[in-house]
Amino acid sequence: MRPRDLDRASAIDKALTEYSIDSRNLPGISRPEERHALVEQIIESLRRVEFARRLGESDISPRRGDPADAMFDPLRAAILRMRQGETDEAYWLVYLFIYFGRHPVGGWSYVRRIYGALGARPWWTWAEVAVNPAQFCEWMLDHQADIRDGARSGFGNHRKYESLRKVGDGVESYVRWVAPPRAHDELFAAARERHNGDPRAAFGYLYKSLLRVDRFGRVATFDYLCMVGKLGFSQIEPDTPHLGGATGPLRGARLLVGADMSPSQLDQILLDLGAKLGVGMQVIEDSLCNWQKSPNRFRPFRG
DNA sequence: CAATCTCGTGAGTAAAGAAA
DNA sequence: TTTCTTTACTCACGAGATTG
């Protein structure tokens, strides 16, 4: 662990111990091995979350926004667009970033080829897709072979069961969700207003509706909304870890708190725990998922 | 010695079934 | 009706087994 994290680690360790004495027993970390492994996972998760926040404030080369350039990066492209006031394009790029993820070998090649329309013009910008999603759908079906490039392309780890065949349907469904000519920021602003500007309530409301979008299950929905919040596109933040329908994080939560609890009970307990630790629900969700894979020994998440 | 097939694994989404 | 659990399905990948 890095020296600068040591203080934070000992504070979290202490808070965990206090919580398990004062508030609720945490059988999964009664031994120091387990507790230390969890603390390290929490530190790692904090680092990942803070990386996205910092990225939103850092200098970014314009080449990151150009799908014709090998340096293209959908997340950085989203930030650039937002800075230029192109909010719909920014949200669309976050969606694409989540939908495809980064392949360990192929990197962003899927997003790059699709967003950049395989070098043709115009690119598949939000303006193009929103007006005619059916045309995008057709283009996707026609160009699957050109987009694919063996081992040098593919979906990211979290999206490994997706396929190019389904992308058209997914995108069509997402376009219906945004419902142009309504803009993304109108949708998010309405969600916030509906809940008096409460970032958590707005998140919960958006989560429920986005979950109905095709090919956007629990993980994609949660990650997309978290990213929108972290980049500051909209003032929202996860209200709970949303363990309903989860696999890894739910297993982790049951290991930590107790096997006989339902996802919604665990959501509430973890909300309380997160407040005591001073960490957000994405950190809780992410760290429990990684911890659960190896509860008694810290293993960094790679992928 | 390949090339191909066949599981098993891992971590998602969707839908059906069960419970509250 | 909503929530939770279970089951099925998807896709890439690697290890072994099978085939040519």
Side-chain angles (χ1 to χ4, degrees), chain A residues 94-114:
Chain A
V94 173
Y95 169 82
L96 293 174
F97 162 78
I98 296 291
Y99 196 108
F100 294 96
R102 202 186 98 252
H103 187 267
V105 179
W108 305 115
S109 67
Y110 268 2
V111 207
R112 208 185 126 201
R113 290 194 187 119
I114 292 167

Side-chain angles (χ1 to χ4, degrees), chain A residues 166-210:
Chain A
K166 301 171 191 162
V167 171
D169 286 344
V171 167
E172 276 193 309
S173 175
Y174 178 73
V175 170
R176 277 197 301 278
W177 182 68
V178 179
R182 179 169 71 166
H184 283 83
D185 56 359
E186 292 177 87
L187 190 169
F188 280 82
R192 281 174 44 72
E193 275 163 34
R194 196 187 175 99
H195 294 94
N196 306 312
D198 178 355
R200 294 207 174 97
F203 186 106
Y205 169 75
L206 288 162
Y207 180 89
K208 218 171 152 186
S209 90
L210 183 55

Side-chain angles (χ1 to χ4, degrees), chain A residues 33 83 96 143 161 249 255:
Chain A
E33 294 96 298
R83 286 175 189 170
L96 293 174
H143 291 88
Y161 299 136
L255 207 56

Side-chain angles (χ1 to χ4, degrees), chain A residues 123-281:
Chain A
W123 296 337
W124 286 114
T125 59
W126 179 251
E128 292 293 325
V129 172
V131 166
N132 198 346
Q135 203 179 315
F136 173 79
C137 212
E138 201 179 318
W139 183 88
M140 273 305 304
L141 292 175
D142 289 347
H143 291 88
Q144 277 174 51
D146 312 311
I147 293 163
R148 200 173 287 119
D149 180 19
R152 304 221 129 265
S153 65
F155 288 86
N157 191 42
H158 278 185
R159 303 290 290 170
K160 64 166 69 163
Y161 299 136
E162 292 303 315
S163 72
L164 293 176
R165 263 180 297 128
K166 301 171 191 162
V167 171
D169 286 344
V171 167
E172 276 193 309
S173 175
Y174 178 73
V175 170
R176 277 197 301 278
W177 182 68
V178 179
R182 179 169 71 166
H184 283 83
D185 56 359
E186 292 177 87
L187 190 169
F188 280 82
R192 281 174 44 72
E193 275 163 34
R194 196 187 175 99
H195 294 94
N196 306 312
D198 178 355
R200 294 207 174 97
F203 186 106
Y205 169 75
L206 288 162
Y207 180 89
K208 218 171 152 186
S209 90
L210 183 55
L211 199 55
R212 291 196 294 266
V213 166
D214 198 21
R215 308 319 302 172
F216 247 48
R218 180 197 163 271
V219 172
T221 296
F222 189 76
D223 288 350
Y224 171 90
L225 292 176
C226 283
M227 188 55 75
V228 164
K230 282 185 287 185
L231 296 180
F233 289 4
S234 176
Q235 296 291 309
I236 55 173
E237 65 173 88
D239 48 341
T240 72
H242 287 277
L243 294 176
T247 54
L250 180 58
R251 232 175 71 95
R254 286 188 165 140
L255 207 56
L256 178 66
V257 182
D260 55 341
M261 268 181 269
S262 76
S264 60
Q265 284 176 308
L266 290 163
D267 273 348
Q268 292 312 310
I269 291 166
L270 293 176
L271 186 59
D272 187 34
L273 176 64
K276 294 265 168 40
L277 299 184
V279 305
M281 291 301 104

Side-chain angles (χ1 to χ4, degrees), chain A residues 158 247-250 252-253 284-294:
Chain A
H158 278 185
T247 54
L250 180 58
I284 294 288
E285 191 262 358
D286 185 51
S287 56
L288 284 177
C289 186
N290 291 316
W291 174 66
Q292 149 274 143
K293 297 172 194 163
S294 167

